[in-house]
Amino acid sequence: MAKLILLCIKFVLLCSIADAVFEDQVGKFDWRQQYVGKVRFAHFDMHVQSSKKVILATEKNVFASLNSRTGDLYWRHVDKTGPEGNIDALLLHGQDAVLVAGNGRVLRSWEVNIGGLNWEIVLDSGSFQSACFVGQQDSVKYVAVLKKTAISLHYLSNGHQKWLENLPESETVQYQAVYSGGNGEVYTLGVVPHSHIAVVVYSVEDGEITKQISVEAPWLSNIPTSCAVVGQGMLTCVDPATVSLYTLDLEEQSQMTQIPLQSLGLEVSPGFQPVLVSTQPNPARPPLSEFFLQLGPDHHLLLQLNNGQIVTLRDFKPALLVSFATTGEKTVAAVMAPKNKTVSYCEITDSNFFHWGLFFKGFSKDHTLPCFLPQACSLNLFSAESGRRLLDTTLIFNMDPNGGKPEKLYVQAFLKKDDSVGYRVMVQTEDHTLTFIQQPGRVMWTREEALSDVVTMEMVDLPLTGTQAELEGEFGKKAAIQDGLLSMVLKRLSSQLILLQAWMAHLWKLFYDARKPRSQVKNDVTIENLSRDEFNLQKMMVMVTASGKLFGIDSKTGTILWRHYLDNIPSNAAFKLMVQRTTAHFPHPPQCTLLIKDKDTGLATLHVFNPIFGRKSHITPPALPQPILQSLMLPLIDQDYAKVLLLVDDQYKVSAFPSTKNVLQQLQEMAGSIFFYLVDSNQGRLSGYRLRTDLSTELIWEVIIPTEVQRIVTVKGKRPNEHVHSQGRVMGDRSVLYKYLNPNLLAVVTESTDLHQERSFVGILLIDGVTGRIIHEAVQRKARGPVHLVHSENWVVYEYWSTKSRRNEFSVLELYEGMELYNSTVFSSLDRPHPPQVLQQSYIFPSSISTLEATLTEKGITSRHLLVGLPSGAILSLPKMFLDPRRPEIVSEQSREENLIPYAPEMPIRTEWFINYNQTVSRVRGIYTAPSGLESTCLVVAYGLDIYQTRVYPSKQFDVLKDDYDYMLISSVLFALFFATMISKRLAEVKLLNRAWR
Amino acid sequence: MAHLSPFQLSIFSTVSFLLCTNFVCCNNGRRVGDALDTEFGGFSVPLEHSFEVDDVAKFRVRGALVLKAGREPSVSLSQNQLSEEDRTKLKEVAAVDGLYRIRVPRVFLQTDRQTERQMEGHLTAFVRACAMVESHLSDVISLHTDVSGYLIGVSIVTIPGACRGTEVEDEVDLEVFNSTLSIVAPVNAPGPETALFLERMEQEMEKKGKNPQEQKSFFAKYWYLILGGAIFLMATSSAQPPAGGDREQS
């Protein structure tokens, strides 16, 4: 018996799972892109002249090295998220990169060639202030780390602590900077705001205080923002109030010298905090005596400090960004200046609108769209010592009209063969893009680091090709009515001709490509040749990132086809992306609407755009003066086939977009059957509203969950585009158990406020969103969040942490109406008096999870899988079959008939279920699934720090012939059989004739 | 010992779990008799209803809910008949497809002190007025509590629930409410069922242990295979020399 069960299990497992890819399929249907996040520190590896590395530390706590020729990652180290892994400082010297992470918790040294860890030490607690290299006699031996109350010196070779000294008077003095000029002393600079500067000098050898001075500076509050060390230990500060520079010789003086900027003939832009930028090319030597002073947003000065005197070397106005770079013994200054500052509006007409006009016949006729002419910036190199412009060093940087303004400039200078200085620059723009440019302006690569923080996404079908669209147009409704018979015939002929032409072109291309070796055939996807494929497997991924940059990515190759940066996005914005019109309504262009809501004020704006080309739509979205509480897409469509978006403001008034007469009329007719719900998790209130004909609302139900006991964490409905193929399940005895398929059902998850491990619980409520009826209420005792939840069809799957057993557990709820349906034709929430049967079962899951999603297919025939994003970066495709509350504990004949797997408390994780084999997705935060044109295939995009796209086949490819399908064999057999029948027929005839003659 | 303890623990957990389910069954003992003694711990809150032609809620008292607090809360309802005026109004509301709403105040059931029971706000629910009329005022009202005994929601359905547009001629049908009341507490969601599974595994192991076939030694089980292999090896080795000889000759 036991053997039989085991055999049965094995059989089921073997049948259900063959998800793993074959070796030759790697990368065929999937791709991965790795990102690092917004760059905080970047250094060029300079220790070898020909080095191609850029060392980056980012705000996503990633430390990485890029190939500066291609922009690809050499290696990447992903630290913990949040403040624990926060990278405070990055210092690069030779082959060693020293990193302070976690607010001064650890000090690490990395080898930059291969990204190996040299050493790591844990520092004493205390908030990190500053770090610098300390050198002696032209060699860098130590690294100094300044914390709030202490300073420590570590050997660069092994990280061991040389000495640790407490800072004097650290209760009153805020120590903020550390500096070493290579003369055997370490200077720590502290400030008592609006009083004085404290300078403590330590001897490198034993950490003894050799000098301690305090200098009056009642105007100073923060050293790093307003001071810099220039030349031979001259602390130079700028005071915007008195408009003057102050200098202090750290070695000799005890009084600051004031130099009014007016004496230099300079003025500060009103309201601008001047910034000083100095450079210290070698940590074992003092900084250069040249420095930049920024006096306005586009005004920089190159100054020189010479024996206490300040000399203006060059005035740069306008100059957006400046940067120093050193190669060998030469230090240069790179200055970026706008080339033409004009921002103009241009008119889009059919002629300059490329050849996309075909898709946009009905759209692009009479609209002028504001568009920014590509603004260019020019970069030049200047000698740091003299301020002279170096010849032949102009570089043109064409700014992306859909990108942000440049923010930071990183310059890689190198000596050419003739000893002149050449350079390349990496420009970081507001939209987190890195652009690497070579002279005279060739963009070598760009990296869209905004994609490391995707917030939400949608997949949109691609439009039809031109010829297909032509055919559509021909047989459109309007055409048939207007035209007569003859013109229809002519049209028909012409469209057939076009088809023939396209086919010939296709054949020609095939023939032409066949002659070339395979490696040379490049199928570059551009926005012009985008078109839907046979099975709709290629789609446009519209991704919204936290920085406010939108991307259109081709799902097949991962090519970024368009990008659009929305400036003035609030930093705490919440995004909701909705597809109002798909590509199915030619000639109307597809339309997406992005709702951007400020989380604090609740004020929202709408951005309406075309998801295929990324351009802003000509439709002006309504201004939303009131905070928005809820938005919902209705299945109603207006006369232009756009779905209606309803927005509910804080006065419970409803506005519609688009709000044409037609829409308002439809809304009035439908008002009685439009219900919506609001969730206020602060008050624990769930409330339902009904729309009235005058677009006001009325409260119809209310459920209040006391916040003292539990708080609402998640509320999840079903996906509106989900199809359920079968209404019931066939049982072992051939009867049918009907599913409770309530499209209005909401799954509400609550967590207890009491976090004690004995008393904490997770609550699950199933509420009908129309009537507010609580369908089911369950508590998972001794459990804690974070809860991940999937709600689909007639089931809810959630995952929680069991505090009692200290493990992750999955639980599945399934709802059934019973053996007969109450009303089999329509479902109405208002007319389902009998509560459904609820079945529930739980399982142990041997890993924690990051995100959870279910597969989705066109018609819902294919069995469902759950896609589980694991913290390890793997994405597990878990058959829903394993999460079935009807799994029997004791196997019976009937359960075997039903193909139920016997219950086992532990959920297996099989490595062949990992759909991304070794392509791990770092910090996976969300999984998006979309149906394709093939019923068997579901498109999956996992996003986090990386983006991974693939296809999954939950029931295998039952509707596709395999790649290695033997067409030859089958056709030869067919032919053979055909001839055999012919011959045998002939033979039979002859035989019959012979018999007749006998 | 260390081996045993998890097993015992899991048994304990199942026992406690069974207890819990029992407790829940008691909670779900839906129907509570109409006549309930309100002496021990019972208290009453108003059940209000509203049905207006213009759909602006005006709640009036429909009856009194007598709630018995404690570990096993129960509820009963004493309600008035619908007046003549109300009956016609309800029919009017049903004719324009208005709503019949009910509401109860938020209460806390697990306390004896009267002051702590009542809380701000009401819980509301609705049903279509026509359904109310067509079902001859037979409704099912459930009061949902959370784990700690706070009332969190109320729901009302009529049986049958549909509005078919049938006329209710007899006024008498709309006089008396035929209400079914229940208090529903959350059920305990089951955890992974390890104890039973382990038990089953153990049984299987025992079965295996008892089965004499399984206990046979390796040689006893596979003697024929070994013998066959040996014969095969012997046969091949005896056939080899000629082959080797061939090679030597060539």
Coordinates of all heavy atoms in Angstrom, one line a residue, chain A residues 853-884:
Chain A
E853 N 3.1 35.6 -6.5 CA 2.2 36.0 -7.6 C 1.7 34.7 -8.2 O 2.3 33.6 -8.0 CB 2.9 36.9 -8.6 CG 2.0 37.5 -9.7 CD 0.8 38.3 -9.1 OE1 1.0 39.4 -8.6 OE2 -0.3 37.7 -9.2
A854 N 0.6 34.7 -8.9 CA 0.1 33.6 -9.6 C 0.2 33.7 -11.1 O 0.1 34.9 -11.6 CB -1.4 33.3 -9.2
T855 N 0.3 32.6 -11.8 CA 0.4 32.7 -13.2 C -1.0 33.1 -13.8 O -2.0 32.8 -13.1 CB 0.9 31.4 -13.9 OG1 -0.1 30.4 -13.5 CG2 2.3 31.1 -13.4
L856 N -1.0 33.6 -15.0 CA -2.2 34.0 -15.6 C -2.2 33.6 -17.1 O -1.2 33.9 -17.7 CB -2.3 35.5 -15.4 CG -3.6 36.2 -15.7 CD1 -4.6 35.8 -14.7 CD2 -3.4 37.7 -15.7
T857 N -3.2 33.0 -17.5 CA -3.3 32.7 -19.0 C -4.5 33.2 -19.6 O -5.5 33.6 -18.9 CB -3.1 31.2 -19.2 OG1 -4.1 30.5 -18.4 CG2 -1.8 30.6 -18.9
E858 N -4.5 33.2 -20.9 CA -5.5 33.8 -21.7 C -7.0 33.4 -21.3 O -7.8 34.2 -21.1 CB -5.3 33.4 -23.2 CG -6.2 34.0 -24.2 CD -5.8 35.4 -24.6 OE1 -4.8 35.9 -24.1 OE2 -6.5 36.0 -25.5
K859 N -7.2 32.1 -21.3 CA -8.6 31.6 -21.0 C -8.7 30.9 -19.7 O -9.8 30.4 -19.3 CB -9.0 30.6 -22.1 CG -9.1 31.3 -23.5 CD -10.4 31.9 -23.8 CE -10.5 32.6 -25.1 NZ -10.2 34.0 -25.0
G860 N -7.6 30.7 -19.0 CA -7.7 30.1 -17.6 C -7.9 28.6 -17.7 O -8.3 28.0 -16.7
I861 N -7.5 28.0 -18.8 CA -7.6 26.5 -18.9 C -6.4 25.9 -18.3 O -6.5 24.9 -17.5 CB -7.8 26.1 -20.4 CG1 -9.0 26.7 -21.0 CG2 -7.8 24.5 -20.5 CD1 -9.1 26.5 -22.5
T862 N -5.3 26.4 -18.5 CA -4.0 25.9 -18.0 C -4.1 25.9 -16.5 O -4.6 26.8 -15.9 CB -2.9 26.8 -18.5 OG1 -3.0 27.0 -19.9 CG2 -1.6 26.3 -18.2
S863 N -3.5 24.9 -15.9 CA -3.4 24.9 -14.4 C -2.6 26.0 -13.9 O -1.7 26.5 -14.6 CB -2.9 23.5 -14.0 OG -1.6 23.3 -14.4
R864 N -2.9 26.4 -12.7 CA -2.2 27.6 -12.2 C -0.9 27.2 -11.4 O -0.9 26.1 -10.8 CB -3.1 28.3 -11.2 CG -4.5 28.7 -11.8 CD -4.4 29.7 -12.9 NE -4.0 31.0 -12.4 CZ -4.8 31.9 -12.0 NH1 -6.1 31.7 -11.9 NH2 -4.3 33.1 -11.6
H865 N 0.1 28.0 -11.5 CA 1.2 27.9 -10.6 C 1.4 29.2 -9.8 O 0.9 30.2 -10.2 CB 2.5 27.7 -11.5 CG 2.7 26.3 -11.9 ND1 4.0 25.9 -12.3 CD2 1.9 25.3 -12.0 CE1 3.9 24.6 -12.6 NE2 2.6 24.2 -12.5
L866 N 2.0 29.0 -8.6 CA 2.4 30.2 -7.9 C 3.8 30.5 -8.1 O 4.7 29.6 -8.2 CB 2.2 29.9 -6.4 CG 0.8 29.8 -5.9 CD1 0.8 29.4 -4.4 CD2 0.0 31.1 -6.1
L867 N 4.1 31.8 -8.4 CA 5.5 32.2 -8.6 C 6.0 32.8 -7.3 O 5.4 33.8 -6.8 CB 5.6 33.2 -9.7 CG 5.1 32.6 -11.0 CD1 5.0 33.7 -12.1 CD2 6.1 31.5 -11.5
V868 N 6.9 32.2 -6.7 CA 7.4 32.6 -5.4 C 8.8 33.2 -5.5 O 9.7 32.5 -6.0 CB 7.5 31.5 -4.4 CG1 7.8 32.0 -3.0 CG2 6.2 30.7 -4.4
G869 N 9.0 34.5 -5.2 CA 10.3 35.1 -5.3 C 11.0 34.9 -3.9 O 10.4 35.2 -2.9
L870 N 12.1 34.2 -4.0 CA 12.8 33.9 -2.7 C 13.9 34.9 -2.5 O 14.4 35.5 -3.4 CB 13.4 32.5 -2.9 CG 12.4 31.3 -3.2 CD1 13.2 30.0 -3.3 CD2 11.4 31.2 -2.1
P871 N 14.3 35.1 -1.2 CA 15.3 36.0 -1.0 C 16.7 35.7 -1.6 O 17.5 36.5 -1.8 CB 15.5 36.0 0.6 CG 14.2 35.4 1.1 CD 13.7 34.5 0.0
S872 N 16.8 34.4 -1.9 CA 18.1 34.0 -2.6 C 18.1 34.5 -4.0 O 19.2 34.4 -4.7 CB 18.2 32.5 -2.6 OG 17.1 31.9 -3.4
G873 N 17.1 35.0 -4.5 CA 17.0 35.5 -5.9 C 16.4 34.5 -6.9 O 16.3 34.9 -8.0
A874 N 16.1 33.4 -6.4 CA 15.5 32.4 -7.3 C 14.0 32.7 -7.3 O 13.4 33.2 -6.4 CB 15.7 31.0 -6.7
I875 N 13.4 32.3 -8.4 CA 11.9 32.4 -8.6 C 11.4 31.0 -8.7 O 11.7 30.3 -9.7 CB 11.5 33.3 -9.7 CG1 12.0 34.7 -9.4 CG2 10.0 33.3 -10.0 CD1 12.1 35.5 -10.6
L876 N 10.6 30.6 -7.8 CA 10.1 29.2 -7.7 C 8.7 29.2 -8.3 O 7.8 30.0 -8.0 CB 10.0 28.8 -6.2 CG 9.6 27.4 -5.9 CD1 10.8 26.5 -6.2 CD2 9.1 27.3 -4.5
S877 N 8.5 28.2 -9.2 CA 7.2 28.0 -9.8 C 6.5 26.8 -9.1 O 6.9 25.7 -9.4 CB 7.4 27.8 -11.3 OG 6.1 27.6 -11.9
L878 N 5.7 27.1 -8.2 CA 5.1 26.1 -7.3 C 3.7 25.7 -7.8 O 2.8 26.6 -7.9 CB 5.0 26.7 -5.9 CG 4.6 25.8 -4.8 CD1 5.7 24.8 -4.5 CD2 4.4 26.6 -3.5
P879 N 3.5 24.5 -8.2 CA 2.1 24.1 -8.7 C 1.1 24.4 -7.7 O 1.3 24.0 -6.5 CB 2.3 22.7 -9.1 CG 3.7 22.4 -9.2 CD 4.4 23.4 -8.3
K880 N 0.0 24.9 -8.1 CA -1.1 25.2 -7.2 C -1.7 23.9 -6.6 O -2.2 23.8 -5.5 CB -2.2 26.0 -7.9 CG -3.5 26.2 -7.2 CD -3.4 27.1 -6.0 CE -4.8 27.2 -5.3 NZ -5.4 26.0 -4.9
M881 N -1.5 22.8 -7.4 CA -1.9 21.5 -7.0 C -1.4 21.1 -5.6 O -2.0 20.4 -4.8 CB -1.2 20.6 -8.0 CG -1.8 19.3 -8.3 SD -0.7 18.7 -9.5 CE -1.5 17.2 -9.9
F882 N -0.2 21.6 -5.2 CA 0.4 21.3 -3.9 C -0.3 22.1 -2.8 O -0.2 21.8 -1.7 CB 1.9 21.6 -3.9 CG 2.7 20.6 -4.5 CD1 3.0 20.6 -5.8 CD2 3.2 19.5 -3.7 CE1 3.7 19.6 -6.4 CE2 3.9 18.5 -4.3 CZ 4.2 18.5 -5.7
L883 N -0.9 23.2 -3.2 CA -1.7 24.0 -2.3 C -3.1 23.8 -2.5 O -3.8 24.6 -3.1 CB -1.3 25.5 -2.4 CG 0.1 25.9 -2.0 CD1 0.6 27.1 -2.8 CD2 0.1 26.2 -0.5
D884 N -3.6 22.7 -2.0 CA -5.0 22.3 -2.3 C -5.6 21.8 -1.0 O -5.1 20.8 -0.5 CB -5.1 21.3 -3.4 CG -6.5 20.9 -3.8 OD1 -7.4 21.3 -3.0 OD2 -6.7 20.2 -4.8

